Amino acid sequence: MARINANYGKLPGSYLFSEVGRRVREYKAAHPEAEVISLGIGDVTLPIAPAVIGALHRAVDEMGSAESFHGYAPDLGYPFLREKIAEKDYMERGCGISPDEIFVSDGAKCDCGNIQEIFGTDNTIAVLDPVYPVYVDSNVMAGRTGDYDREKDRYDGVIYLPCTKENGFVPELPEEVPDLIYLCFPNNPTGSVMTKAELQRWVDYANSHGSVILFDAAYEAYISEPGVPHSIYECEGAENCAIEFRSFSKTAGFTGLRLGFTVIPKELKAGGEALWPLWARRHGTKYNGAPYIVQRAGEAVYSPEGQLQVKEQAAYYMENAGIILEGLRQAGYEASGGVNAPYIWLRTPGNMTSWEFFDRLLAEANVVGTPGSGFGPGGEHYFRLTAFGTRENTIKAVKRITAI
Ligand code: PLP
């Protein structure tokens, strides 16, 4: 008799953004006249940059001729893209990452969710609290956690690293040593960052305890301040303890095109075993690679025009972030983030729960945000707004929020 993976039963309710979507649909059905603005799910609104569109068109034409057609992509991705990534994202920042340590994929969400497969189910995990929910949920599905404790809103066996106002949303090193440590900086949802010195402490900690850091740098393109590392490999010794995830989604507006990559240095080991061959085996077995045309589009992001255009887009979103942050602060909200990340993290007024504030904002301002509690128990009484809206909607949304 077939049986399900009972670990799925430990997951409470639906995925955070599915629940947000459900409530918005319900509200719109009841109020068809409402003009609802979404600063909730972190999806981009600007169209793809012209340099990237040009590369896509050329690649599509290549697919239409026998001489230049491309079938299955190489397991790790096309060398033309991996070479560009190694040069621009790593070598130019002084990080010794080579093209064959880069695994091209269709995005960071899948890689962050799938990477745990190459680690035994007996590994303990540590996650920031609050944080992007995929890290915990994918480990729950794999049976690496205990049961969900409804009262504490926590999974047994998971080491939560509190990110609070008091510690500037940057966690302390844990006393109980985890085997796998998920770090996400610039952080979703708080928008906080670690300085290079702070991240170096985590790298040293992982190296001295034999832990592996899973570093999600999906928002590195939004870093504006000096002294904030764009890659964990800027820290000394990180190639011995860290895997890094990157995404083109927020860097170049590829949420609909789909492209990302994972870096696994050849020297990285867990329990004396190299991790690179395991991920290569997994990639080759279960994954067909990002489409040729999308990898060509990714290559164009690194061209001089591409770089100019995507930087302009990031600047546009960060101006939105500034508008939200200023507007909220002037209205008396306690708000942070929005300087090195496209997220603004605000304390709910009057000690409302995150979902109470969500419902109130939807009903009274017709603005959608994301309840902080959806990112972990430490997110309760907080709320996330994204800077990825259009300028017009961002200004309108801030006016409406501050009016209630
Ligand atoms: N990592 C973080 C921290 C994110 O916030 C997101 C998307 O919101 C992702 C990864 C997913 O990126 P991708 O679109 O490349 O799957």
Side-chain angles (χ1 to χ4, degrees):
M1 187 177 71
R3 289 173 305 282
I4 62 155
N5 175 353
N7 293 311
Y8 278 68
K10 296 179 190 167
L11 292 164
S14 51
Y15 182 58
L16 170 62
F17 294 105
S18 315
E19 177 59 18
V20 168
R22 190 191 66 74
R23 291 196 189 201
V24 175
R25 278 192 304 278
E26 212 173 83
Y27 181 83
K28 280 184 175 166
H31 305 86
E33 74 298 339
E35 186 218 344
V36 175
I37 297 175
S38 178
L39 301 183
I41 183 168
D43 201 357
V44 293
T45 48
L46 290 174
I48 307 269
V52 176
I53 292 294
L56 266 176
H57 279 295
R58 288 190 295 279
V60 167
D61 287 342
E62 279 182 61
M63 296 299 265
S65 122
E67 292 74 45
S68 51
F69 162 81
H70 284 78
Y72 285 121
D75 280 353
L76 270 62
Y78 284 98
F80 62 74
L81 178 59
R82 289 188 288 125
E83 279 159 18
K84 271 280 178 287
I85 293 170
E87 180 195 334
K88 298 285 179 195
D89 285 329
Y90 294 104
M91 287 171 209
E92 288 187 4
R93 289 198 176 275
C95 309
I97 296 297
S98 67
D100 59 356
E101 293 171 314
I102 293 161
F103 295 77
V104 173
S105 72
D106 61 359
K109 182 176 178 177
C110 312
D111 287 355
C112 292
N114 291 328
I115 196 72
Q116 44 77 27
E117 281 188 30
I118 65 170
F119 296 95
T121 45
D122 54 349
N123 282 269
T124 52
I125 65 156
V127 291
L128 306 177
D129 175 26
V131 84
Y132 185 53
V134 170
Y135 318 134
V136 174
D137 288 4
S138 55
N139 277 287
V140 172
M141 292 168 181
R144 206 169 280 106
T145 70
D147 283 335
Y148 175 66
D149 182 329
R150 201 163 285 279
E151 216 161 274
K152 292 189 191 144
D153 186 23
R154 282 165 183 260
Y155 288 94
D156 295 334
V158 172
I159 300 168
Y160 289 86
L161 307 168
C163 297
T164 61
K165 182 182 136 187
E166 287 70 32
N167 62 22
F169 303 107
V170 173
E172 322 292 341
L173 294 168
E175 275 165 28
E176 182 187 352
V177 178
D179 299 314
L180 303 174
I181 305 169
Y182 286 86
L183 294 181
C184 170
F185 289 102
N187 184 259
N188 176 11
T190 67
S192 66
V193 285
M194 269 193 191
T195 62
K196 187 169 166 190
E198 283 168 336
L199 186 56
Q200 184 66 56
R201 288 183 64 221
W202 284 83
V203 168
D204 295 343
Y205 173 92
N207 272 328
S208 66
H209 291 101
S211 310
V212 170
I213 296 176
L214 302 164
F215 191 74
D216 186 346
Y219 297 97
E220 67 75 33
Y222 292 90
I223 294 171
S224 67
E225 293 182 320
V228 178
H230 288 243
S231 163
I232 195 166
Y233 303 114
E234 290 177 39
C235 295
E236 211 155 303
E239 60 287 353
N240 295 309
C241 68
I243 291 176
E244 179 163 289
F245 307 99
R246 292 276 191 106
S247 167
F248 284 69
S249 288
K250 310 299 160 67
T251 310
F254 275 46
T255 51
L257 269 185
R258 309 302 316 145
L259 192 64
F261 60 91
T262 289
V263 181
I264 306 193
K266 291 271 178 74
E267 54 266 65
L268 177 59
K269 291 184 175 159
E273 300 282 340
L275 291 173
W276 188 97
L278 301 190
W279 189 242
R281 184 72 170 84
R282 196 243 171 232
H283 225 52
T285 305
K286 291 195 176 180
Y287 185 59
N288 272 321
Y292 171 74
I293 58 172
V294 177
Q295 295 196 44
R296 278 291 183 206
E299 180 191 28
V301 169
Y302 295 97
S303 68
E305 325 78 82
Q307 281 292 290
L308 266 179
Q309 292 162 4
V310 297
K311 285 195 169 118
E312 261 172 34
Q313 295 187 335
Y316 173 90
Y317 292 132
M318 289 312 281
E319 271 176 49
N320 285 350
I323 291 167
I324 301 172
L325 196 59
E326 264 320 290
L328 291 177
R329 282 182 175 163
Q330 275 176 18
Y333 279 89
E334 191 181 306
S336 57
V339 175
N340 293 298
Y343 293 121
I344 285 83
W345 189 236
L346 61 115
R347 177 93 195 169
T348 59
N351 214 30
M352 264 188 260
T353 68
S354 303
W355 279 109
E356 279 168 0
F357 187 64
F358 173 92
D359 288 334
R360 176 139 182 230
L361 212 58
L362 179 57
E364 294 183 19
N366 290 168
V367 172
V368 180
T370 310
S373 56
F375 297 98
E380 184 54 289
H381 302 296
Y382 279 90
F383 202 72
R384 190 195 77 173
L385 292 173
T386 91
F388 288 122
T390 62
R391 178 63 41 79
E392 191 192 347
N393 277 348
T394 302
I395 293 171
K396 223 190 263 182
V398 171
K399 275 199 187 131
R400 289 192 199 165
I401 296 170
T402 53
I404 60 168

